[in-house]
Amino acid sequence: MHRVAVVLLVVLAAGVAAAQQPGSYTPVENPYQADLAFTSGRPINLFVEIDGVRVDGIVLVPGGDPRAGEQVDCQIQVLGTSVADKRATVNAVILLEDADDKPLERVTLDAFRVKPGKPFDEKQKRVVSGDALLGATKVYVLVQVGF
């Protein structure tokens, strides 16, 4: 019984330690471009490092239930951390696409600045068509970093 408790304690401690380690980031070219799966309100996980700016993900959250033919107030959030040694400017664009890769709507964020060695949580409001939110199954993401 004592051995089982020790094994469980070791497994639990390893799990907690792994949960506290920062995620692994893939170094990518600047600008970063990718086609990814999309579900409204769920994070678009990136975990990429672009010239010292680590982008965890982007989330597009509608302010209400999308309806065909109507515009929806949305909040778009970009999360990450800068490990660069100077201030960076981040530009981000997402293109909502349907299952056949047909573009539905382009959402461009205003450029924003990130401080060196600091996390960032950029939130911007945009109006997106309900048709695009209802029909989107993929998203094309472009993130560019400048200094």
Side-chain angles (χ1 to χ4, degrees):
M1 182 72 159
H2 179 58
R3 285 185 216 169
V4 172
V6 170
V7 169
L8 286 175
L9 183 59
V10 169
V11 169
L12 179 62
V16 168
Q20 292 176 342
Q21 292 177 353
S24 169
Y25 293 87
T26 303
V28 295
E29 294 290 320
N30 188 12
Y32 170 72
Q33 302 173 62
D35 284 306
L36 304 161
F38 174 77
T39 303
S40 184
R42 301 195 83 182
I44 303 164
N45 293 321
L46 302 179
F47 296 104
V48 295
E49 184 172 331
I50 310 160
D51 290 346
V53 176
R54 294 178 175 173
V55 182
D56 297 343
I58 300 173
V59 185
L60 187 154
V61 179
D65 291 329
R67 294 189 182 138
E70 293 183 8
Q71 298 290 83
V72 181
D73 291 327
C74 296
Q75 178 174 279
I76 300 166
Q77 182 177 22
V78 182
L79 298 160
T81 304
S82 175
V83 294
D85 57 0
K86 55 186 171 182
R87 278 195 146 179
T89 301
V90 177
N91 291 290
V93 176
I94 58 175
L95 178 63
L96 300 172
E97 301 174 338
D98 67 12
D100 297 323
D101 297 325
K102 178 183 170 196
L104 300 174
E105 187 160 347
R106 177 184 173 121
V107 181
T108 303
L109 298 179
D110 296 333
F112 59 94
R113 308 270 326 232
V114 296
K115 295 179 181 178
K118 301 281 186 185
F120 59 88
D121 181 356
E122 177 69 16
K123 295 176 185 164
Q124 296 185 17
K125 296 185 184 287
R126 293 291 181 273
V127 176
V128 179
S129 77
D131 294 324
L133 291 170
L134 292 169
T137 60
K138 299 183 209 174
V139 62
Y140 169 81
V141 173
L142 178 125
V143 180
Q144 185 171 20
V145 175
F147 294 95

